[in-house]
């Protein structure tokens, strides 16, 4: 069972829902209002029956802006372990929140 869970960890990680909320970012691509907004990165998962635990380790949360390049939002120097089963049924973990300049963010 544990080997099966390890083999499933990659696909499960890809299937877990990572929500990125842009709040207060006015405008569209190509506009510059000289304003800023807040990005909030949340982690949640869908319940999986018959699985005892699904742990992932996150070391860094970053965002890529077309003009700014990569910006680190949160860093976990020793890695932060999240059990995705604890993040099901509407429960979320906040991975980071940062004030950013208005712009086009691609990743």
């Amino acid at each position: 069972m544990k080997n099966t869970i390890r083999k499933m960890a990659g696909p499960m990680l890809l299937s877990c829902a990572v929500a990125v909320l842009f709040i207060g970012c006015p405008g569209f691509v190509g506009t510059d209002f000289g304003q800023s907004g807040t990005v909030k990165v949340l982690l949640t998962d869908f319940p999986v029956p018959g699985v005892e635990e699904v742990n992932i380790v996150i070391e860094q949360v970053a965002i890529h802006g077309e003009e700014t390049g990569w910006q680190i939002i949160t860093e976990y120097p020793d890695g932060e372990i999240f059990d995705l089963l604890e993040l099901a049924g509407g429960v979320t973990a906040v991975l980071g929140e940062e004030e950013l300049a208005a712009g086009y963010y691609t990743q």
Side-chain angles (χ1 to χ4, degrees):
M1 179 75 170
K2 287 188 178 195
N3 285 335
T4 302
I5 292 172
R6 284 188 187 128
K7 290 177 185 175
M8 293 172 46
M12 289 178 121
L13 176 59
L14 293 175
S15 67
C16 76
V18 177
V20 178
L21 304 176
F22 290 93
I23 303 166
C25 291
F28 301 94
V29 175
T31 60
D32 182 13
F33 297 125
Q35 297 182 3
S36 64
T38 303
V39 63
K40 188 172 188 178
V41 181
L42 306 171
L43 177 66
T44 191
D45 193 26
F46 187 80
V48 180
V51 177
E52 295 174 15
E53 63 181 16
V54 179
N55 293 311
I56 63 169
V57 178
I58 296 179
E59 296 176 350
Q60 187 180 79
V61 178
I63 189 165
H64 186 268
E66 190 173 73
E67 295 178 15
T68 59
W70 286 104
Q71 294 176 260
I72 297 172
I73 294 174
T74 306
E75 221 168 349
Y76 301 103
D78 296 324
E80 186 75 19
I81 299 172
F82 293 91
D83 182 354
L84 295 180
L85 296 184
E86 293 178 5
L87 301 173
V91 178
T92 60
V94 177
L95 298 181
E97 188 170 351
E98 186 75 26
E99 185 83 13
L100 299 172
Y104 185 61
Y105 293 89
T106 56
Q107 298 180 49

